[in-house]
């Protein structure tokens, strides 16, 4: 038997937010029950924060100080504060110990860059919808708005002399970006904004970096199915491919000195890393990770030290709860600075097999299958499909206490990447856009039809998912009621119409690109909503939600659970007043997830 859910949830995981020139790592640890900042230096571990919610941060270059990003109970209205590390302190800092930098709890302030004596952040305080990019001088408090051209700002990069600012914003098509450059020299508040790509182009433009003031190096899949690394001329917009691969999506992060690129290849949910020359694209070193695992989103992105000598990574694998790793940029050697597996003792965590499930139209659905080694006889042959959120996201080979607990109980766990998932090219992640929404739901039926080939019982199969994965759970139960024996919905969308009407204002336009607009697609959005077919739901439902969720409002769960209960179907609902989009606090996870697992065990037993 594997570890039980309580033991799994109590494991400490680490992530790396930053690294300084001396190799000290600004890490996140959830040992206290939510992610707090800890500095790792040699063998020393110094707790830095003790806030009520999850935090992140960056070192301030040239100073012993950290810019802390924090919100309140998962509301995602992040605020920015300063923690000076050279001041004497008897323990981790509370909110009262932090020096306010940008505090306005009605709006979002997201840290997007740090410079000596300055920070760069994006905020929606102007109109509560569009994000502006602001550079703030920490000594004087003076601020300069360098971009106010509208949109939900994604990536921001300043040129070496700080004259030019590259900004990526959502384009017209789903999961597409527009890259613009701002010249900050003109007297106007937002400078002169020059588009480098068209708003109508169906392509990604991410992780921009400036090797010099005339050139950008960007991750893109313009005119390609897979992302690669391209060089873009600031003046003409001319593109030259630097590094590409036909079989993998690539992502690149440019070193601060502009000479090297850390390149991440997505190999079916496993990270393959290498260091390349930023001018020629030639391979310098491969970066060996501790084992097959993952170091990309949703973990913090890799970050270079200011002197370009070190790279901090966040690493996880199915049997690794999460570690901080430092890469020597001169050699490519990767050194873990934490060891989360030491907590496991002799426990044997499950590692998945990689499959391609057949679909109705000849496509093959990527799927990881976790199998129990010593299942409870009552649960042998049962299965749980765990569906990721997004939908523009990917299930990867990283640690999940939920997956491990389900396997430990005796369920087979299938973790698919249905249509709409990233990591498998533009064609696959675009296959559920707009009025093709139900194509991804149909993939659930194909996966169910495949269960018998794995020797599993089709009558004892359940769905589990959060956020958009929660929508998929509800859609599976509503549109395929004869197939599923139970469902666990975490902060899921029950109606695409009410979701778009009630989500945070700054998110509505962003999400309409993916789902369709209320102005032109309301009829289809209604048909594709599980709430519209709630009377068809026959399987028991377990739902949980955070009261402060700004993405998927609590009302989405309340209306579907009310409809299911009205039909007389078993339905459990848990609401947590101090949570947002998911459960960030261990105490709440320890309350919710054992109940969810017991619910599934009850309904999937022979």
């Amino acid at each position: 038997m594997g570890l039980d859910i309580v033991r799994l949830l109590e494991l400490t995981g680490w992530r790396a937010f930053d690294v300084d020139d001396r190799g000290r790592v600004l890490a996140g640890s959830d040992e206290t029950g939510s992610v707090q900042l800890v500095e790792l230096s040699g063998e020393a571990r110094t707790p830095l924060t003790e806030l009520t919610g999850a935090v992140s941060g960056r070192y301030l270059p040239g100073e012993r100080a950290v810019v802390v990003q924090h919100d309140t109970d998962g509301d995602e209205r992040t605020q920015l504060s300063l923690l000076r590390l050279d001041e004497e302190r008897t323990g981790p800092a509370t909110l009262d110990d932090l020096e306010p930098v940008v505090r306005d709890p009605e709006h979002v302030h997201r840290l997007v860059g740090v410079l000596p004596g300055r920070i760069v952040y994006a905020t929606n305080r102007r109109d509560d919808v569009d994000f502006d990019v602001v550079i703030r001088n920490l000594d004087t408090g003076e601020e300069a708005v360098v971009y106010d051209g509208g949109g939900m700002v994604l990536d921001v990069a300043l040129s070496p002399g700080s004259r030019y600012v590259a900004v990526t914003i959502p384009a017209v098509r789903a999961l597409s970006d527009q890259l613009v450059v701002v010249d900050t020299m003109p007297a106007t508040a937002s400078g002169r904004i020059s588009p480098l790509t068209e708003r109508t182009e169906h392509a990604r433009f991410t992780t921009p970096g400036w090797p010099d003031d005339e050139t950008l190096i960007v991750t893109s899949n313009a005119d390609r199915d897979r992302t690669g690394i391209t060089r873009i001329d600031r003046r003409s917009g001319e593109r030259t491919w630097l590094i590409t691969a036909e079989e993998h999506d690539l992502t690149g992060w440019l070193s601060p000195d502009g000479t090297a690129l850390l390149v991440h290849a997505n190999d079916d949910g496993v990270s393959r890393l290498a260091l390349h020359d930023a001018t020629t694209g030639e391979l310098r070193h491969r970066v060996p990770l501790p084992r097959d695992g993952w170091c990309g989103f949703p973990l913090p992105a890799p970050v270079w030290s200011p002197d370009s000598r070190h790279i901090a990574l966040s690493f996880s694998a199915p049997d690794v709860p999460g570690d901080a790793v430092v890469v020597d940029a001169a050699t490519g050697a990767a050194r873990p600075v934490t060891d989360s597996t030491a907590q496991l003792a002799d426990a044997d965590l499950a590692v998945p097999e990689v499959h391609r499930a057949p679909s109705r139209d000849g496509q093959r659905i990527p799927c990881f299958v976790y199998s129990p080694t010593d299942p409870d006889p009552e649960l042998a042959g049962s299965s749980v499909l765990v569906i990721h959120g997004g939908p523009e996201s990917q299930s990867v080979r990283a640690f999940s206490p939920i997956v491990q607990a389900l396997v430990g109980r005796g369920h087979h766990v299938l973790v698919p990447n249905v249509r709409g998932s990233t990591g498998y090219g533009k064609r696959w992640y675009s296959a559920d856009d707009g009025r093709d929404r139900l194509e991804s739901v149909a993939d659930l039926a194909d996966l169910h039809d495949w269960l018998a080939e794995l020797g599993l019982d089709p009558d004892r199969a359940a769905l589990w998912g959060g956020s958009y994965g929660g929508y998929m759970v509800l859609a599976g139960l509503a549109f395929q009621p004869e197939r599923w024996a139970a469902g666990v919905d975490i902060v899921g969308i029950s109606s695409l119409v009410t979701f778009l009407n009630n989500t945070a204002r700054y998110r509505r336009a962003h999400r309409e690109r993916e789902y369709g607009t209320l102005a032109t697609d309301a009829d289809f959005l209604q048909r594709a909503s599980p709430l519209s077919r709630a009377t068809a739901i026959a399987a028991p439902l377990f739902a949980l939600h955070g009261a402060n969720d700004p993405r998927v409002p609590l009302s989405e769960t309340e209306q579907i659970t009310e409809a299911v209960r009205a039909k007389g179907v078993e339905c459990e609902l848990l609401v947590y007043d101090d949570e947002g989009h998911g459960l960030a606090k261990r105490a709440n996870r320890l309350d919710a997830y054992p109940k969810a697992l017991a619910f599934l065990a009850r309904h999937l037993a022979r």
Side-chain angles (χ1 to χ4, degrees):
M1 297 289 288
L3 298 180
D4 65 23
I5 185 61
V6 172
R7 175 80 188 283
L8 287 161
L9 290 172
E10 289 176 342
L11 295 173
T12 296
W14 296 87
R15 60 199 68 186
F17 294 121
D18 207 352
V19 59
D20 68 9
D21 291 346
R22 291 181 51 180
R24 291 177 292 214
V25 175
L26 181 65
S29 165
D30 60 2
E31 183 175 11
T32 62
S34 64
V35 176
Q36 301 294 320
L37 298 179
V38 178
E39 184 173 62
L40 307 175
S41 179
E43 298 298 318
R45 296 182 177 182
T46 306
L48 299 180
T49 62
E50 192 176 49
L51 277 61
T52 57
V55 301
S56 59
R58 294 288 307 277
Y59 284 120
L60 191 62
E63 299 184 38
R64 286 292 287 150
V66 170
V67 183
V68 182
Q69 179 172 282
H70 51 94
D71 73 355
T72 301
D73 291 336
D75 64 7
E76 297 187 12
R77 293 193 291 272
T78 47
Q79 312 296 307
L80 303 176
S81 302
L82 196 65
L83 175 62
R84 299 194 180 277
L85 302 182
D86 50 7
E87 295 180 355
E88 289 190 11
R89 190 171 288 105
T90 58
T94 65
L95 188 60
D96 292 338
D97 297 321
L98 300 179
E99 179 182 324
V101 175
V102 184
R103 298 262 187 99
D104 177 359
E106 296 303 312
H107 300 101
V108 177
H109 312 86
R110 178 168 54 89
L111 186 67
V112 294
V114 287
L115 302 163
R118 297 178 293 166
I119 63 169
V120 188
Y121 68 95
T123 177
N124 66 341
R125 67 187 175 204
R126 174 167 52 86
D127 61 7
D128 207 33
V129 176
D130 296 310
F131 280 76
D132 300 340
V133 178
V134 182
I135 300 179
R136 181 184 179 92
N137 186 303
L138 293 178
D139 294 327
T140 67
E142 181 181 0
E143 292 193 339
V145 177
V146 296
Y147 173 80
D148 62 0
M152 188 175 176
V153 166
L154 304 172
D155 292 331
V156 178
L158 272 66
S159 66
S162 297
R163 174 171 176 174
Y164 302 106
V165 182
V167 179
T168 65
I169 54 177
V172 174
R173 294 283 298 272
L175 207 60
S176 296
D177 314 296
Q178 184 181 29
L179 176 65
V180 302
V181 171
V182 183
D183 184 346
T184 64
M185 289 300 288
T188 57
S190 60
R192 186 171 65 249
I193 301 174
S194 302
L196 280 188
T197 65
E198 298 295 329
R199 290 191 69 248
T200 55
E201 190 169 1
H202 186 28
R204 302 241 58 193
F205 295 95
T206 65
T207 64
W210 296 85
D212 53 60
D213 280 351
E214 302 302 317
T215 309
L216 276 161
I217 291 180
V218 181
T219 299
S220 179
N221 58 2
D223 302 318
R224 293 175 53 83
D225 188 51
R226 299 284 189 165
T227 55
I229 317 301
T230 188
R231 182 184 290 111
I232 304 179
D233 184 270
R234 177 185 65 80
R235 297 179 186 274
S236 67
E238 182 181 354
R239 304 169 195 167
T240 305
W241 288 107
L242 190 62
I243 308 168
T244 60
E246 294 303 318
E247 66 277 16
H248 302 307
D249 282 319
L250 304 182
T251 306
W253 293 272
L254 183 68
S255 62
D257 64 9
T259 65
L261 274 164
L262 176 69
V263 177
H264 175 280
N266 184 340
D267 183 6
D268 210 354
V270 168
S271 296
R272 311 293 184 196
L273 297 181
L275 287 161
H276 290 254
D277 186 283
T279 301
T280 65
E282 292 182 2
L283 174 67
R284 289 183 177 178
H285 305 286
R286 300 206 180 275
V287 179
L289 293 171
R291 64 187 79 186
D292 280 356
W294 186 251
C295 62
F297 181 83
L299 296 172
V303 60
W304 289 81
S305 63
D307 64 3
S308 301
R309 293 177 55 200
H310 310 288
I311 309 165
L313 307 174
S314 301
F315 175 77
S316 177
D319 51 356
V320 178
D323 285 313
V325 176
V326 174
V327 176
D328 184 336
T331 65
R335 175 177 57 89
V337 293
T338 59
D339 181 10
S340 61
T341 61
Q343 311 162 87
L344 299 175
D346 296 327
D348 188 18
L349 297 185
V351 176
E353 294 182 348
V354 179
H355 291 264
R356 293 290 189 273
S359 73
R360 60 205 172 276
D361 55 0
Q363 301 295 320
R364 309 291 288 186
I365 305 168
C367 188
F368 307 134
V369 179
Y370 293 77
S371 302
T373 56
D374 184 22
D376 180 337
E378 288 298 306
L379 295 176
S382 65
S383 59
V384 180
L385 273 68
V386 176
I387 318 298
H388 67 68
E392 316 102 318
S393 188
Q394 180 186 7
S395 291
V396 296
R397 283 181 262 180
F399 176 75
S400 166
I402 299 303
V403 168
Q404 295 293 344
L406 288 167
V407 176
R409 279 288 185 104
H411 308 290
H412 280 72
V413 179
L414 281 69
V415 184
N417 281 299
V418 297
R419 275 163 243 237
S421 302
T422 55
Y424 300 92
K426 185 191 304 184
R427 183 187 60 82
W428 190 249
Y429 72 62
S430 302
D432 71 337
D433 290 352
R435 290 179 177 256
D436 288 329
R437 175 66 35 214
L438 295 178
E439 290 298 313
S440 60
V441 179
D443 283 347
L444 297 181
D446 292 334
L447 288 160
H448 186 276
D449 290 343
W450 182 56
L451 293 175
E453 292 186 32
L454 298 177
L456 303 177
D457 184 352
D459 292 331
R460 293 188 296 126
L463 297 169
W464 177 301
S467 189
Y468 180 78
Y471 163 81
M472 292 288 283
V473 169
L474 297 174
L477 300 186
F479 290 95
Q480 303 157 5
E482 73 286 354
R483 295 178 184 270
W484 307 107
V488 176
D489 160 37
I490 303 169
V491 299
I493 301 167
S494 61
S495 167
L496 294 167
V497 174
T498 57
F499 160 70
L500 290 173
N501 271 318
N502 298 324
T503 190
R505 291 181 62 203
Y506 68 89
R507 295 189 59 82
R508 176 173 164 177
H510 183 61
R511 301 319 300 164
E512 282 189 323
R513 299 183 313 148
E514 170 71 27
Y515 299 124
T517 71
L518 291 172
T520 61
D521 302 296
D523 59 334
F524 173 76
L525 293 171
Q526 185 72 24
R527 292 198 307 272
S529 295
L531 187 64
S532 68
R533 290 179 54 87
T535 56
I537 294 177
L541 175 65
F542 186 100
L544 61 90
H545 217 113
N548 305 314
D549 192 339
R551 303 190 190 194
V552 179
L554 172 60
S555 55
E556 288 298 307
T557 294
E558 290 176 328
Q559 62 191 7
I560 192 69
T561 54
E562 180 181 351
V564 171
R565 286 170 174 168
K567 192 189 172 190
V569 175
E570 179 186 345
C571 181
E572 298 184 38
L573 170 61
L574 301 178
V575 178
Y576 294 90
D577 292 335
D578 57 348
E579 294 282 9
H581 193 61
L583 301 185
K585 298 178 180 179
R586 180 177 292 142
N588 294 332
R589 296 195 298 267
L590 284 169
D591 180 69
Y593 292 144
K595 294 175 182 176
L597 265 68
F599 167 87
L600 287 182
R602 188 167 69 252
H603 291 290
L604 296 184
R606 291 187 186 278

